[in-house]
Amino acid sequence: INAEYMGTPTNGRGNAMIKSPEEQDLYYYYVGWFGTLFALLLIVRKTTGQHFFDRPSAQHSQSFMDFQRLYIVVYLIMTGADWLQGPYVYALYKHYGFSIGDIGVLFIVGFASSLVLGPIVGPIADKYGRKKMCLTFGVLYSLSCITKHFKSYSILLVGRLLGGISTSILFSAFEAWMVHEHQQGEFSEEQLALTFSLSTAGNGVVAIVAGVSASLVREVVGPVAPFDLSLFCLLVGSILIAYKWNENTGDSTINLTSTFTNAVHVIRKDPMIIYLGLIQSLFEGAMYVFVFMWTPSLEATTSQPIFHGWIFASYMICVLIGSSIFRFCTERNMKVELTACYMFVASAISLAIPAFSMNHSVRFASFCLFEVCVGMFWPSLGCMRSRYVPEEVRATVMNIFRIPLNAIVVVVLLNVETVEHYVFMICVTGLLLAWVCQIQLLNRSKKSRTDKTRI
């Protein structure tokens, strides 16, 4: 979370040039990892017949290409705004002179606000409109950026509160809007999988570009500059939503309480949705814990400062590799439910390794493998949600399952010093449980399709 300058040889703290040969060796070690992973990405994409800028296929209509382009452009601008902030939130709080304990409270407030207020976001989006909720995201996250100009702890707490609510909107309302428009356009399920895959791949590219851009403006202008650049992206994205997107809703005829009640009823009567929700909570819970733990885990294996920027860039390359693998599998008609099973096993193995090894290279390689799994997870989850979660309560259901996700993260963060030595095994346990749920989902999907075939 405290990723620092990337692209120039700093000592990892972002404020001094490399001082020793050991630091220089470690710097070029990470650059070498980045170059190797980038070459691997090119090999994977070439081997699977993919290109970074695919030409429109003849099998895709112009209306689909226009719709897909409109969604992905806006989505990547908004996620770019998020990426511009992420690596420098911790650094800004530290710059303002707050202690590690105070900073920890600020982060917990963000997750807690998403935990408490996130479930309200879904019903509002489903009833009053996903476009309106996406515009609300732009407003709230912009206000959160503005609070970063103040050194007041209470104002920064408000900013984290707004940021937590914004996160819930970003990971629910945008997808709900896209899936509704996709179904309205009567586009195919294969095209939906393609949109999810391109969104994930584009998100990885945007994350790298945002990291470099934020590093440059921070160095030239100051520690608040990345948040100002994020604010600009939020304004651009909001304008595009306001003038280019159509409005869509779930069931707009019922009140908010009924929307939430209906979503709970849908979840209770359909085991497929329950398994899908547990999968989301368990995997994302492990992922967010990993976000907090990878820095101290790597620092514990070397006496030299690590270079967060290059590590982060390497992780994003791995996400692109995962997205490419997912796309390769779907284009060859492999079931998403089946490929997800393999992905969960690989993710559990990847986080089990650092629990038993203190070797720096081994840990870093295992973390890269986990990020490949993350690149497969996002489009897989999106495809399965579009298949099993009813349209009229989609945003509400997605936010309900963010409750246990945020609860897991808050509990672990509150006790991180106590569980530090076995935190990765906790994550592995969660990932194995997600794997069990995925197997159940796979079996039920096979049975459901068999029953339909018989009918």
Side-chain angles (χ1 to χ4, degrees), residues 204-366:
V205 174
V206 166
I208 297 172
V209 173
V212 175
S213 302
S215 174
L216 292 174
V217 297
R218 184 175 186 264
E219 185 174 2
V220 173
V221 182
V224 187
F227 302 93
D228 292 335
L229 185 57
S230 175
L231 176 60
F232 174 76
C233 291
L234 290 166
L235 292 175
V236 172
S238 297
I239 291 172
L240 288 175
I241 291 173
Y243 288 98
K244 296 292 185 179
W245 281 21
N246 299 320
E247 183 60 278
N248 66 56
T249 63
D251 188 348
S252 60
T253 62
I254 61 177
N255 58 46
L256 291 178
T257 303
S258 297
T259 302
F260 187 84
T261 304
N262 286 352
V264 172
H265 177 69
V266 166
I267 292 171
R268 291 177 61 183
K269 75 174 185 179
D270 191 345
M272 306 274 274
I273 298 178
I274 294 175
Y275 287 128
L276 191 59
L278 290 173
I279 289 167
Q280 173 186 331
S281 297
L282 291 167
F283 186 91
E284 290 189 36
M287 182 185 69
Y288 283 118
V289 171
F290 165 78
V291 168
F292 282 91
M293 290 304 300
W294 70 260
T295 293
S297 297
L298 290 179
E299 288 178 340
T301 61
T302 177
S303 60
Q304 304 299 324
I306 63 175
F307 295 83
H308 299 81
W310 285 107
I311 295 173
F312 175 76
S314 297
Y315 288 164
M316 292 303 102
I317 292 293
C318 291
V319 170
L320 290 173
I321 293 173
S323 173
S324 299
I325 294 173
F326 169 82
R327 183 175 173 184
F328 172 79
C329 293
T330 55
E331 288 179 346
R332 280 147 187 81
N333 298 318
M334 294 181 64
K335 292 186 63 175
V336 174
E337 292 86 353
L338 179 60
T339 57
C341 286
Y342 297 131
M343 179 270 294
F344 284 123
V345 173
S347 64
I349 293 173
S350 69
L351 292 191
I353 292 173
F356 298 99
S357 174
M358 286 295 292
N359 181 278
H360 188 81
S361 295
V362 170
R363 280 196 169 186
F364 184 48
S366 69

Side-chain angles (χ1 to χ4, degrees), residues 48-77:
T48 57
Q50 301 175 42
H51 304 280
F52 280 105
F53 301 101
D54 290 328
R55 293 182 178 179
S57 172
Q59 64 182 338
H60 300 314
S61 64
Q62 187 61 45
S63 60
F64 170 74
M65 297 302 299
D66 291 341
F67 156 73
Q68 185 187 69
R69 187 180 303 109
L70 177 61
Y71 169 72
I72 290 179
V73 167
V74 172
Y75 178 73
L76 294 184
I77 289 174

Side-chain angles (χ1 to χ4, degrees), residues 17-246:
M17 297 298 292
I18 293 174
K19 295 180 179 180
S20 68
E22 291 79 10
E23 287 186 42
Q24 187 177 48
D25 290 342
L26 192 59
Y27 172 78
Y28 289 116
Y29 168 82
Y30 289 126
V31 174
W33 261 99
F34 175 81
T36 302
L37 289 168
F38 186 76
L40 178 61
L41 172 64
L42 295 178
I43 293 171
V44 168
R45 294 186 72 88
K46 185 174 180 59
T47 303
T48 57
Q50 301 175 42
H51 304 280
F52 280 105
F53 301 101
D54 290 328
R55 293 182 178 179
S57 172
Q59 64 182 338
H60 300 314
S61 64
Q62 187 61 45
S63 60
F64 170 74
M65 297 302 299
D66 291 341
F67 156 73
Q68 185 187 69
R69 187 180 303 109
L70 177 61
Y71 169 72
I72 290 179
V73 167
V74 172
Y75 178 73
L76 294 184
I77 289 174
M78 292 311 207
T79 55
D82 189 43
W83 284 120
L84 283 166
Q85 298 185 48
Y88 296 101
V89 175
Y90 185 97
L92 179 68
Y93 294 155
K94 191 173 181 179
H95 171 77
Y96 284 157
F98 295 113
S99 67
I100 294 177
D102 290 336
I103 295 173
V105 171
L106 287 167
F107 275 96
I108 289 172
V109 165
F111 283 108
S113 66
S114 185
L115 168 66
V116 176
L117 300 176
I120 303 174
V121 167
I124 294 176
D126 287 331
K127 178 175 175 59
Y128 295 107
R130 284 74 179 259
K131 174 182 175 179
K132 292 186 181 70
M133 188 54 65
C134 292
L135 286 171
T136 302
F137 163 81
V139 173
L140 294 181
Y141 219 16
S142 295
L143 292 174
S144 178
C145 290
I146 293 172
T147 63
K148 301 301 188 294
H149 284 269
F150 299 88
K151 296 182 180 180
S152 168
Y153 192 75
S154 58
I155 293 178
L156 293 173
L157 279 173
V158 172
R160 289 301 299 173
L161 179 71
L162 297 174
I165 300 171
S166 301
T167 300
S168 293
I169 300 174
L170 179 62
F171 291 107
S172 59
F174 283 82
E175 179 183 314
W177 180 90
M178 184 273 288
V179 172
H180 177 96
E181 293 296 311
H182 184 97
Q183 294 175 347
Q184 286 289 103
E186 298 182 348
F187 304 127
S188 69
E189 188 170 319
E190 290 74 18
Q191 290 174 320
L192 181 63
L194 176 61
T195 300
F196 278 121
S197 178
L198 291 176
S199 298
T200 302
N203 195 26
V205 174
V206 166
I208 297 172
V209 173
V212 175
S213 302
S215 174
L216 292 174
V217 297
R218 184 175 186 264
E219 185 174 2
V220 173
V221 182
V224 187
F227 302 93
D228 292 335
L229 185 57
S230 175
L231 176 60
F232 174 76
C233 291
L234 290 166
L235 292 175
V236 172
S238 297
I239 291 172
L240 288 175
I241 291 173
Y243 288 98
K244 296 292 185 179
W245 281 21
N246 299 320

